[in-house]
Amino acid sequence: MSASMTASAPAAGLASALEIRGLVKEYVAGKPVLRGVDLAVPAEGITAIIGPSGTGKSTLIRCINRLVEPTRGSIKLHGEELTGLSGRGLRLARRRIGMVFQEYNLVERLSVMENVLSGRLGYVPLWRAWLRKYPAADIERAFMLLDAVGLPEHATRRADALSGGQRQRVGIARALMQRPDILLADEPTSSLDPRTAVEVLELLTRLTAAEGVPVIINIHNVDLAKRYARRIVGMSGGSVIFDGPPEQLETHHLRAIYGGEDWM
Ligand SMILES: Nc1ncnc2c1ncn2[C@@H]1O[C@H](COP(=O)(O)OP(=O)(O)OP(=O)(O)O)[C@@H](O)[C@H]1O
Ligand SMILES: [Mg+2]
């Protein structure tokens, strides 16, 4: 891709990784939380979703990996419709979607290495996973990723012995272990101190660029969103009301997204 291209609108001929059309989610019938979201996520770079609490950012991410059942609309990953998938089709689709969580979601009593390897669970036959037998190539890749996230000497430590920042590094390595087509991160730095948050975002940016994995990240910190994302999606009231590169996000947009201005 040419360096001059803006991320906001994928250029003609460049396929989006993910295409969302008319996505509606009603947890309670007649009360939509998402009100017809359209979003095309480019094949590379970080897309940051910002917006006030309760506006449906997590719901959007959960609709993509189908932890939440969309009410209406279309979600296509490299052209494959994800809504309506079930059973094996859904399991196969989920293998292509990496997840990074605010509270890390590691298996605390397992080692760092086993947590990273568990990113491959969708691929390894269940009996081998039970026996904790992974192919040599997986173990090699897990070591490579642990090295990349700066934790090579922590492979055998239990996850519950790590700090939050270290845990999130393991979370990122685990998500990349499955070689996803897209990575979804719901507030991955909200539980971290400001400096660690920056370090984790640096790492996420660097590794996903190296692996060619596009990222959708929900984030409350607008400054960090502008610093690391190629593209900002501003949501309010369950709709997208801003979609463009960080340099186009102005004060009046933030006012429209978050409401009021006494907080600014
Ligand atoms: N499982 C659920 N059942 C019913 N309502 C839900 C459920 N999950 C979320 N909601 C509601 O949907 C709305 C959007 O919630 P969501 O968690 O998607 O917002 P958010 O933008 O991620 O907020 P935050 O920034 O606080 O994480 C809220 O009103 C919430 O109460
Ligand atoms: Mg949320």
Side-chain angles (χ1 to χ4, degrees), residues 146-160:
L146 275 179
D147 202 33
V149 300
L151 297 172
E153 72 281 19
H154 292 80
T156 56
R157 290 183 79 190
R158 270 172 60 133
D160 55 12

Side-chain angles (χ1 to χ4, degrees), residues 174-229:
R174 176 183 59 186
L176 289 173
M177 188 66 207
Q178 72 189 82
R179 298 184 191 274
D181 288 344
I182 192 164
L183 198 143
L184 310 177
D186 197 351
E187 299 195 37
T189 56
S190 295
S191 302
L192 304 175
D193 71 67
R195 179 180 168 187
T196 307
V198 164
E199 288 169 358
V200 164
L201 284 173
E202 291 276 352
L203 187 74
L204 189 68
T205 307
R206 191 161 45 76
L207 282 185
T208 54
E211 299 251 326
V213 181
V215 183
I216 301 179
I217 182 171
N218 282 350
I219 186 162
H220 279 297
N221 187 314
V222 176
D223 291 331
L224 289 182
K226 291 174 82 165
R227 187 159 149 196
Y228 290 100

Side-chain angles (χ1 to χ4, degrees), residues 9-29:
L14 182 81
S16 304
L18 189 79
E19 292 226 26
I20 299 177
R21 292 278 166 258
L23 183 65
V24 172
K25 174 60 189 177
E26 299 175 350
Y27 292 103
V28 178

Side-chain angles (χ1 to χ4, degrees), residues 9 13 61 70 98 102 116 121 125-126 157 165 177 193 251-252 259 261:
I61 277 191
Q102 178 179 350
V116 175
L121 274 186
L126 214 48
R157 290 183 79 190
M177 188 66 207
D193 71 67
T251 307
H252 70 274
E261 52 191 283

Side-chain angles (χ1 to χ4, degrees), residues 92-186:
L92 289 175
R94 280 191 178 139
R95 281 187 198 175
R96 300 163 57 199
I97 304 173
M99 290 291 298
V100 174
F101 303 89
Q102 178 179 350
E103 296 297 341
Y104 327 119
N105 286 25
L106 302 183
V107 182
E108 299 286 329
R109 59 186 177 75
L110 290 186
S111 71
V112 164
M113 186 57 157
E114 284 169 305
N115 271 281
V116 175
L117 282 167
S118 74
R120 288 293 284 180
L121 274 186
Y123 295 91
V124 177
L126 214 48
W127 65 268
R128 290 189 76 163
W130 275 331
L131 292 173
R132 298 189 185 171
K133 275 187 171 178
Y134 289 86
D138 284 0
I139 292 170
E140 205 170 300
R141 178 164 169 78
F143 271 119
M144 185 278 284
L145 286 167
L146 275 179
D147 202 33
V149 300
L151 297 172
E153 72 281 19
H154 292 80
T156 56
R157 290 183 79 190
R158 270 172 60 133
D160 55 12
L162 302 184
S163 71
Q166 291 172 329
R167 281 174 207 215
Q168 198 56 300
R169 288 163 185 266
V170 176
I172 291 169
R174 176 183 59 186
L176 289 173
M177 188 66 207
Q178 72 189 82
R179 298 184 191 274
D181 288 344
I182 192 164
L183 198 143
L184 310 177
D186 197 351

